[in-house]
Amino acid sequence: MQQSEQRSSQHDHDVIIVGGGMVGAALAARLGHTGISVGLVEQGDAPSPPSDDYDLRISSLNARSLAFIKASGTDLPEERSCPFRHIDVSNQDGTGHSLFSAEDSDMEDFGIFIENLTLQYALWQRLEALPSVTCYTQCEPLSTLATSAARMLELDNGKTLSARLIVGADGARSTLRELAGISVTSYDYHQRALIVNVETELPQQDVSWQVFTPTGPIAMLPLPGHRASLVWYDSDNVTKAREQLDDEALKAAIEMAFPKRLGNLTRIVARASFPIKRQHAQRYIGKRLALIGDAAHVVHPLAGQGLNIGLHDADTLADIIVKGRDPGDYINLHRFECQRRVANQAMIAATDSFHHVFTGPKTLRQLGDLSLQLAERFPLAKRMMMQQANGLNPFKMR
């Protein structure tokens, strides 16, 4: 703590994080938990407590992500989260199928599904209890300038802050990334995902499943009790038309298109849709600057790994900052970029391949079916795949 106070005496903070969403707040909580001086800049207000109905935006947290969040002292409400122990992947006609079990992968479970709002609120509750964290709400960056020892950040509320490192965690349309002059490459899948929160006659238990169809996958993410989050991928026009259906018509369309194992729906709770795009920053770092989460990369959501790889960014960066003497040291930032860019590029390539294989011509779809059949026949390969997806070392011996 004494070392942290000495470092920050010449600056407002050791580290300033722009973006108070799940990834930015998680990094702030982890660093603040160690006594490092952190400034968190958030365009909006502090998040409100979750309402009775579940939020539409649901994410999965894998083993590494959960360990990172718990290492900050953040408590996640068990009643608002749903552990899952099985992942069922198949194609529409049943010729390709693979079931992944946590027990077979030497894991108690694969992680949890949790509302984005619930996770963000829990993280901000933790931030309020950390004396070394200062939150600046209802403001955003106007300009930034780096010197040899610090980076300055001018905010639109009239404040100018300085830190040894500024981290951009402000999403796919990152203002900080733009101010730093970092460009992105992007790809439009010309698809849209319809998210529907439902109540079902059957409890969804502990299995998450995804079925690949020629127009895109359909998926079920379990929530506590008789609730579930359904994801339905299709073309822009078809998805927008489904989104406009009344509850009874949408319920009928879901029951007709989704597998019978979902069971009958008792209520459509809410629905929304968003376009599917891929994006990758040309670089993750600059002079006393680093990008994490969606500010650095946006992947196809079919594998549910977008938030996880963002939290893995934060985990890697936090570890480097805590162990180093200067949070903005270029050699350490370069090490962060090398580690995370390789891992993220691999995830981008994997999700991209899944999309094109299962929505491509018939010959490609047959290749996808074969890959599922092979995965089912080789337990060691399945185990390594799932441990890798959970941010664990797949080569660790039993």
Side-chain angles (χ1 to χ4, degrees):
M1 184 69 174
Q2 192 172 20
Q3 184 184 13
S4 174
E5 290 174 352
Q6 185 178 3
R7 284 204 309 263
S8 62
S9 62
Q10 299 174 0
H11 311 286
D12 294 293
H13 301 284
D14 292 315
V15 179
I16 293 173
I17 301 166
V18 179
M22 297 175 289
V23 173
L27 178 60
R30 181 70 185 92
L31 296 178
H33 186 68
T34 67
I36 291 174
S37 173
V38 178
L40 182 64
V41 176
E42 166 56 32
Q43 182 179 9
D45 292 313
S48 302
S51 63
D52 290 338
D53 267 330
Y54 282 73
D55 190 64
L56 267 172
R57 297 164 301 169
I58 306 293
S59 293
S60 67
L61 294 180
N62 63 23
R64 180 179 175 183
S65 297
L66 280 170
F68 174 63
I69 289 170
K70 290 177 180 178
S72 70
T74 301
D75 294 322
L76 299 180
E78 292 185 5
E79 69 276 8
R80 302 289 293 207
S81 61
C82 182
F84 64 105
R85 298 173 179 85
H86 306 280
I87 300 174
D88 192 307
V89 184
S90 63
N91 67 358
Q92 194 171 35
D93 61 14
T95 56
H97 175 262
S98 190
L99 177 65
F100 298 87
S101 170
E103 183 179 2
D104 294 339
S105 301
D106 297 334
M107 302 167 63
E108 183 177 342
D109 53 51
F110 284 132
I112 64 171
F113 286 106
I114 188 169
E115 302 156 276
N116 292 8
L117 181 59
T118 294
L119 174 57
Q120 187 184 10
Y121 180 73
L123 288 166
W124 275 71
Q125 290 293 104
R126 178 60 182 145
L127 295 179
E128 289 185 3
L130 295 172
S132 64
V133 177
T134 302
C135 296
Y136 304 89
T137 57
Q138 295 186 322
C139 59
E140 59 181 326
L142 285 179
S143 66
T144 182
L145 177 66
T147 67
S148 60
R151 181 174 276 272
M152 314 297 292
L153 188 70
E154 180 189 7
L155 303 177
D156 63 358
N157 64 359
K159 288 183 179 291
T160 298
L161 304 175
S162 67
R164 289 179 178 257
L165 173 67
I166 295 183
V167 180
D170 50 341
R173 299 179 180 178
S174 170
T175 300
L176 186 64
R177 184 187 65 222
E178 184 176 340
L179 291 174
I182 299 176
S183 59
V184 299
T185 58
S186 59
Y187 177 81
D188 191 336
Y189 289 100
H190 300 291
Q191 273 197 325
R192 200 169 185 88
L194 177 64
I195 312 298
V196 188
N197 272 10
V198 299
E199 290 181 357
T200 68
E201 289 182 351
L202 303 176
Q204 298 309 313
Q205 300 175 342
D206 59 358
V207 60
S208 172
W209 49 257
Q210 185 160 266
V211 178
F212 287 98
T213 80
T215 58
I218 54 179
M220 191 282 294
L221 314 180
L223 294 173
H226 289 249
R227 295 174 180 263
S229 174
L230 307 181
V231 189
W232 194 347
Y233 298 83
D234 213 317
S235 65
D236 281 314
N237 292 337
V238 170
T239 301
K240 288 177 180 177
R242 285 196 185 113
E243 190 178 4
Q244 298 305 313
L245 296 174
D246 62 37
D247 284 356
E248 285 304 311
L250 180 57
K251 182 165 79 75
I254 290 171
E255 290 177 349
M256 180 176 295
F258 276 62
K260 298 301 180 185
R261 68 186 121 168
L262 176 65
N264 293 328
L265 306 184
T266 58
R267 183 164 76 105
I268 300 288
V269 180
R271 89 280 291 273
S273 71
F274 60 89
I276 307 300
K277 297 181 180 181
R278 166 175 32 94
Q279 184 173 285
H280 206 186
Q282 295 282 9
R283 50 192 172 92
Y284 290 3
I285 63 172
K287 192 172 184 179
R288 297 199 170 275
L289 179 139
L291 301 178
I292 61 175
D294 285 359
H297 44 73
V298 177
V299 304
H300 196 299
L302 63 83
Q305 291 299 305
L307 174 59
N308 284 309
I309 63 174
L311 291 172
H312 298 176
D313 292 344
D315 188 13
T316 300
L317 185 59
D319 187 60
I320 289 172
I321 291 172
V322 170
K323 292 179 180 177
R325 301 186 61 141
D326 180 356
D329 176 71
Y330 182 79
I331 294 176
N332 286 336
L333 292 182
H334 181 67
R335 185 154 54 94
F336 156 76
E337 180 175 44
C338 289
Q339 290 181 29
R340 292 309 307 156
R341 194 170 194 88
V342 169
N344 294 336
Q345 190 63 61
M347 182 59 69
I348 289 172
T351 55
D352 199 53
S353 297
F354 266 104
H355 166 77
H356 289 295
V357 166
F358 285 100
T359 61
K362 185 176 181 179
T363 52
L364 272 181
R365 298 202 302 272
Q366 289 173 337
L367 180 62
D369 298 345
L370 178 62
S371 67
L372 292 178
Q373 294 170 18
L374 290 175
E376 188 64 18
R377 293 176 184 175
F378 293 96
L380 178 60
K382 288 170 64 175
R383 175 177 175 269
M384 293 177 67
M385 287 170 60
M386 296 315 298
Q387 291 202 337
Q388 180 71 33
N390 274 271
L392 305 174
N393 180 6
F395 302 103
K396 184 178 179 181
M397 300 302 292
R398 292 174 185 261

